[in-house]
Amino acid sequence: MVYRWEQASSYDCRVATGIELLLFDSGTLGLGGVEVPVPFFLIRHPQGDVVVDGGNPLAVARDAHAHWGALADLFTVRMSEDQHCAAQLSRFGVESASVSHIVQTHLHIDHTGALGHFRSATVVVHTRELRAARAADSPVDTGYVREDYDRPELRWQLVDGDLDLFGDGTIRLIETPGHSAGHMSLLLELSDTGPVLLTADATDNRAQWEGRQHPRALSSREHAARSVELLRNVAAQRNPLIIFGHDPDNWSQLKQAPESYS
C-alpha cells in the first residue's frame, strides 16, 4: 500500500468566505471508566451543507446490544434518540435535501450515524477505508458494523490521497491512515476563526497529540504515528484551532451548536 505523506506547506489555504462550522455530539461512550464525547459536525457552505461523520447510529440509541452485538459489552453508551444526528440537525432547521455531502473520516461504529438519513447526499470516504470496511469480519476486532454502511442507496465518492472538497480551499481532506486503513482528517479555512483542524481519530486527545500516549492504531501503528506527525506539521504551519476526536476537556472548551465558528 502506498500513502502520500505530504509536507505541511501543501496545506496552505486561500482566504475563505461564507462557511460556518457547528459542533454537535451524539452522546458519550464509556470505556474503562473514561467517558468521552462522540462528536459530529455541520459545515454550512454556499454549495451545500456538509455533515462530517454522524456520531452513533440511531439503532444504538434504541438497542445498542441488538446493533453492536458484543461491542456493546465493551462500551457504555449514553445516547437518546433525540441526540441522533438527523434529529438534532432537523431541530436546527437543516433539511435533509440541503445536505450535499457526508464526509466520513472513517467508518467505525461511532462515526456512521448520518448514513442513510440524508438521501441526496454524496458520501465521501477514502477508497482504502471502504475496502477495509467491506472486508471486515468481526466488529469486535475491526470496529466496523456492516449494517451501518452496507446500504444500496448510498452514493459513494471515493478519495485517494487528499481532496479539496469544493475546490476553493475551504474544506481539505487529509489522508491520515493508521487508526483505520483509510482514515482522513479535515483542515477548514474560516473567514473569522481562521484555520480549524478536525483530527478525528488520528488523535483522540491532547495526550496523544503531545506524545504522552500512543494514538489508537487499529490498522497500523507506524502509519498512525506518521499521521500524527503530519498533522503536527500542518498545525505548525497554519496555527489552527484544533478539535480532537474524543477529548472531554478539549470538547468542553469549544463552542457547541447553536453557537458556531465562522
Side-chain angles (χ1 to χ4, degrees):
M1 296 188 292
V2 177
Y3 293 92
R4 302 172 189 175
W5 303 100
E6 305 281 357
Q7 297 297 317
S9 58
S10 301
Y11 301 106
D12 289 343
C13 295
R14 296 180 288 278
V15 175
T17 59
I19 71 169
E20 183 181 18
L21 171 67
L22 295 107
L23 282 56
F24 299 83
D25 70 71
S26 60
T28 62
L29 287 180
L31 177 65
V34 178
E35 191 167 0
V36 300
V38 182
F40 66 93
F41 306 91
L42 173 68
I43 305 170
R44 312 217 79 168
H45 188 281
Q47 295 188 44
D49 289 331
V50 178
V51 175
V52 180
D53 294 335
N56 289 324
L58 180 59
V60 173
R62 293 172 174 168
D63 190 334
H65 281 86
H67 189 67
W68 281 353
L71 278 170
D73 295 324
L74 301 177
F75 297 101
T76 301
V77 182
R78 289 187 172 86
M79 175 191 178
S80 68
E81 291 190 30
D82 286 343
Q83 289 175 297
H84 178 247
C85 170
Q88 291 198 61
L89 294 182
S90 177
R91 289 197 301 274
F92 189 74
V94 176
E95 296 182 1
S96 175
S98 76
V99 177
S100 63
H101 294 80
I102 299 169
V103 173
Q104 290 294 148
T105 64
H106 59 306
L107 292 168
H108 283 165
I109 58 171
D110 54 333
H111 293 261
T112 52
L115 297 180
H117 295 274
F118 302 96
R119 296 303 181 97
S120 301
T122 297
V123 182
V124 183
V125 71
H126 197 283
T127 299
R128 292 190 185 94
E129 184 66 13
L130 186 58
R131 184 184 303 142
R134 285 175 168 168
D137 293 324
S138 166
V140 173
D141 294 334
T142 65
Y144 299 114
V145 171
R146 187 171 300 276
E147 289 78 9
D148 290 342
Y149 50 83
D150 191 9
R151 297 168 175 262
E153 74 273 17
L154 296 179
R155 295 187 295 113
W156 299 98
Q157 177 182 342
L158 300 183
V159 178
D160 291 293
D162 297 349
L163 177 69
D164 184 344
L165 186 62
F166 290 114
D168 60 2
T170 60
I171 304 173
R172 292 288 303 273
L173 279 56
I174 305 173
E175 184 180 42
T176 50
H179 174 74
S180 67
H183 188 280
M184 298 187 294
S185 304
L186 285 84
L187 181 65
L188 313 179
E189 187 74 14
L190 308 182
S191 56
D192 294 332
T193 305
V196 179
L197 180 62
L198 308 181
T199 70
D201 289 9
T203 308
D204 283 334
N205 53 47
R206 187 168 298 279
Q208 293 176 9
W209 181 256
E210 295 176 348
R212 293 180 284 115
Q213 292 180 4
H214 293 297
R216 286 187 303 131
L218 278 69
S219 176
S220 166
R221 285 190 175 186
E222 177 185 358
H223 289 156
R226 293 183 71 179
S227 291
V228 173
E229 186 61 27
L230 169 64
L231 293 179
R232 289 186 188 130
N233 289 337
V234 171
Q237 290 279 338
R238 304 290 298 137
N239 191 30
L241 171 67
I242 302 174
I243 301 176
F244 299 119
H246 298 282
D247 188 327
D249 293 332
N250 175 239
W251 192 249
S252 69
Q253 296 168 18
L254 298 166
K255 292 191 289 188
Q256 313 287 321
E259 291 187 86
S260 66
Y261 294 93
S262 61

